[in-house]
Amino acid sequence: VCPVDGETDCLNHQSRMFVLIWVTLLFNVRSNTANTVAPPGETEHCQNGFCVTPSEAEITVEAGLCVVIPCYFTTDPDFRLESAVWYKCDPSKLKNCTDSDIILHLNNTNPKAQSGLRRVSLLEPDLSQRNCSIIIKDLNISDSGSYQLRVNVILNGTTKEYTSHIATITVKDQSWKPTVMIPPLAEGQQTTLTCTAPGLYSGSDPKITWTWRGKGENDSHITGNITANQGQSSTLTFDSSVIHHGTEVTCKVSFTGGTTTEETVTLNVTYVKKPVITGKTTIKQGDALNLTCSVDSFPPSVITWTKLGLNKNLNSETETDLHNDTGTATLVIPNMTAEYPGQYLCTAKHLNNTLTEEVNITVILYPKILNSSRCINQSEVLTCMCISEGFPLPTIKWPLLMNHTEYSGITIVSNHTVNSTVILTVKDHSNTVVECVSTNKNGEVKGNLIINKAEEEGQAMKLLRIATQLEVIIAFFIGALISATVCCLARKCHRKKKRTYGNLALEMVTSHEDSLV
């Protein structure tokens, strides 16, 4: 397992550890001769035929992990190793380390008879192999300090002691973090998160705990559905839901000695909910329509507005103002008129899914009497026409008819406009106006129509009637001339055919469908 602060850091870490292990194996002395050579590039520290490599090395490592202090020694052929003791001392008393500073004590005559800290052990238990390297697991800040090796050897029956400062260790705070692997998350599907502790190895198995926190919530420990794998990793299995979207999940790794490190990730769950339309659905004429379609989804949906019957997106209409941002699309029509009522459709496209929601828009049109309304009195016959528009469609009433029992009327409806015409006989009608009343559920409006006498319509109306009569006369003469021409041609054609075919008489028969006029 390699800590992941980035692929480059991981590769560098693996390279350093590979070199360290390679050096350890390469210079693991397998010979008991005094001619063993120190590892290349390292400096030997020798005292009267006893040499130790390396000397006074400086090593920096992070808390919670482990460290190998490389150490190799050579001796003259007459030397016999009796025991070796590792000390961790304050740099100021390196030459005066006491028994309280011992971290590892071993006897060569019984390699299994080791004492000291349980976190410290020889990399090669057999000292006869001339390898005195040690490994310290579960490092903490207090492990920083100077380390020295004291070896007792027997030469010609006399015990001699050799001391050498091997290394200075600096333990710094943990900077590597656990690695949390998150597969793609989709609503309703089971998913498994994996958290792996950092470091190449760290001795004792760390303790791994999971916590998660929703938006605006405190951390809460997760219980259940958690499994551990080989002590260095843990898995968390659950069913993905929209409630998990945006949740922060933390994996905390606690090493022996109190060192901890953690990594927090944010969950992104793929989901989509039904579109929701908000805004007023009944709009007064002249007011603005403002509809908002909201779609809760991840990733965000593409939202469009259409009006049924138009077969095109409303954002292409020049009279609309469409605002589309993350999760919402707002349709604004500044000036609602009679052409805008109807069904409006919100369409949300999310990945491979399409969802729709529609709303019915009603435009309130107050009744209005148009200026084209009028009355004409001709030869005691009064003709009045009242034209009104509105939504819902208004009804037109004539208060004048309350005093008359004989009259005729006609009503014509077109879209949101109604045309009411009444004809009645009046004698000695002294009023100059006639009242027209237009009503729908939104209100009522009254209009006074001025009565115009037919003889006062002026020369224009007379000319219009004369012109109409002239058009009829001219049309009659043109029709007669065309009919005479066709008849002449038909008779001439009939005589010619009789001469051409001799005794064979042919007739031109016309049917009612092909009659000549």
Side-chain angles (χ1 to χ4, degrees):
V1 180
C2 181
V4 179
D5 271 351
E7 185 176 356
T8 302
D9 292 342
C10 180
L11 292 175
N12 291 338
H13 177 76
Q14 290 177 331
S15 299
R16 291 194 297 269
M17 296 308 301
F18 175 77
V19 171
L20 178 60
I21 295 173
W22 178 81
V23 170
T24 302
L25 296 177
L26 180 63
F27 299 107
N28 185 3
V29 181
R30 297 293 180 181
S31 173
N32 290 329
T33 65
N35 297 324
T36 304
V37 181
E42 301 289 355
T43 303
E44 284 187 322
H45 179 71
C46 298
Q47 297 179 13
N48 301 320
F50 182 84
C51 299
V52 177
T53 305
S55 177
E56 300 183 358
E58 293 186 0
I59 302 173
T60 300
V61 68
E62 293 189 0
L65 304 182
C66 62
V67 65
V68 173
I69 302 179
C71 173
Y72 312 93
F73 64 90
T74 60
T75 63
D76 287 336
D78 298 332
F79 279 41
R80 183 169 61 85
L81 186 64
E82 185 178 48
S83 64
V85 180
W86 276 93
Y87 294 87
K88 173 188 170 292
C89 297
D90 186 271
S92 61
K93 61 172 188 175
L94 272 179
K95 294 182 179 181
N96 299 303
C97 292
T98 63
D99 290 345
S100 62
D101 298 321
I102 295 176
I103 60 172
L104 181 64
H105 186 188
L106 55 98
N107 192 326
N108 190 47
T109 59
N110 184 9
K112 295 183 179 180
Q114 299 184 14
S115 62
L117 298 179
R118 298 184 60 182
R119 298 184 294 113
V120 183
S121 61
L122 282 172
L123 197 62
E124 168 57 64
D126 187 2
L127 279 177
S128 65
Q129 302 300 319
R130 303 298 195 261
N131 186 346
C132 51
S133 302
I134 62 172
I135 179 172
I136 305 175
K137 303 176 182 179
D138 300 323
L139 286 169
N140 51 59
I141 301 299
S142 63
D143 291 324
S144 297
S146 298
Y147 290 77
Q148 75 172 19
L149 175 66
R150 185 175 297 170
V151 178
N152 292 323
V153 298
I154 298 177
L155 179 62
N156 299 325
T158 303
T159 301
K160 294 183 177 293
E161 182 181 279
Y162 296 93
T163 302
S164 177
H165 173 219
I166 302 300
T168 298
I169 302 296
T170 301
V171 181
K172 62 180 183 179
D173 290 335
Q174 176 70 258
S175 62
W176 288 339
K177 294 184 178 183
T179 303
V180 180
M181 301 297 295
I182 305 177
L185 306 181
E187 186 177 22
Q189 296 182 4
Q190 189 179 81
T191 188
T192 298
L193 309 184
T194 302
C195 177
T196 304
L200 183 63
Y201 45 76
S202 59
S204 304
D205 291 339
K207 179 182 177 182
I208 301 177
T209 57
W210 294 86
T211 58
W212 61 15
R213 177 178 58 193
K215 294 180 179 178
E217 298 178 357
N218 296 325
D219 288 342
S220 59
H221 285 275
I222 303 173
T223 58
N225 298 327
I226 299 177
T227 61
N229 182 22
Q230 297 180 353
Q232 296 294 320
S233 64
S234 175
T235 60
L236 169 63
T237 301
F238 60 96
D239 293 329
S240 300
S241 171
V242 62
I243 63 174
H244 298 127
H245 182 67
T247 296
E248 293 183 350
V249 176
T250 300
C251 171
K252 183 177 181 180
V253 179
S254 301
F255 297 99
T256 303
T259 302
T260 63
T261 181
E262 64 182 38
E263 175 70 333
T264 299
V265 295
T266 301
L267 302 183
N268 291 320
V269 181
T270 299
Y271 71 96
V272 61
K273 291 186 177 181
K274 184 179 179 180
V276 176
I277 298 176
T278 56
K280 292 183 178 180
T281 58
T282 301
I283 309 298
K284 295 180 181 180
Q285 183 181 18
D287 288 352
L289 173 68
N290 192 321
L291 296 177
T292 298
C293 182
S294 303
V295 180
D296 186 8
S297 66
F298 181 84
S301 301
V302 177
I303 306 174
T304 56
W305 278 101
T306 54
K307 185 178 185 299
L308 296 183
L310 289 180
N311 296 323
K312 58 182 177 180
N313 291 341
L314 287 178
N315 57 340
S316 62
E317 296 287 309
T318 56
E319 64 270 20
T320 63
D321 186 13
L322 184 68
H323 305 279
N324 193 353
D325 54 19
T326 303
T328 64
T330 301
L331 173 65
V332 178
I333 301 179
N335 183 20
M336 291 293 285
T337 58
E339 63 183 299
Y340 286 114
Q343 296 289 329
Y344 286 77
L345 187 68
C346 170
T347 301
K349 292 185 178 180
H350 181 261
L351 301 180
N352 296 326
N353 298 324
T354 299
L355 296 88
T356 60
E357 183 70 12
E358 65 181 47
V359 62
N360 184 52
I361 299 301
T362 302
V363 177
I364 297 176
L365 300 176
Y366 292 99
K368 177 183 179 181
I369 297 177
L370 303 185
N371 293 331
S372 54
S373 302
R374 60 183 300 184
C375 284
I376 297 176
N377 186 0
Q378 182 179 15
S379 302
E380 298 184 347
V381 177
L382 180 63
T383 303
C384 289
M385 180 176 62
C386 183
I387 304 174
S388 178
E389 66 178 9
F391 184 83
L393 194 68
T395 58
I396 295 178
K397 295 180 180 180
W398 299 91
L400 172 67
L401 299 181
M402 296 176 60
N403 301 323
H404 294 79
T405 57
E406 295 184 1
Y407 61 87
S408 61
I410 184 173
T411 300
I412 301 174
V413 176
S414 175
N415 293 329
H416 303 292
T417 303
V418 59
N419 184 327
S420 177
T421 302
V422 294
I423 303 174
L424 67 158
T425 302
V426 292
K427 293 182 179 180
D428 300 327
H429 187 70
S430 59
N431 294 337
T432 59
V433 296
V434 174
E435 187 179 48
C436 166
V437 180
S438 178
T439 307
N440 67 8
K441 69 176 184 179
N442 302 319
E444 179 182 275
V445 64
K446 298 180 180 180
N448 292 322
L449 310 182
I450 298 176
I451 299 176
N452 296 313
K453 293 183 178 181
E455 53 268 28
E456 295 177 357
E457 292 178 358
Q459 296 298 323
M461 295 298 295
K462 294 180 180 179
L463 290 176
L464 179 59
R465 287 194 293 270
I466 295 173
T468 302
Q469 295 174 356
L470 289 176
E471 288 179 358
V472 173
I473 296 172
I474 292 172
F476 173 78
F477 279 115
I478 291 176
L481 179 61
I482 293 175
S483 299
T485 303
V486 172
C487 289
C488 290
L489 292 175
R491 295 172 68 96
K492 182 177 180 180
C493 179
H494 180 68
R495 288 196 299 271
K496 183 176 181 181
K497 287 183 178 180
K498 283 188 176 182
R499 287 196 303 270
T500 304
Y501 294 99
N503 297 328
L504 183 60
L506 300 177
E507 290 188 45
M508 180 181 293
V509 180
T510 60
S511 66
H512 291 288
E513 291 83 275
D514 300 322
S515 59
L516 297 176
V517 180

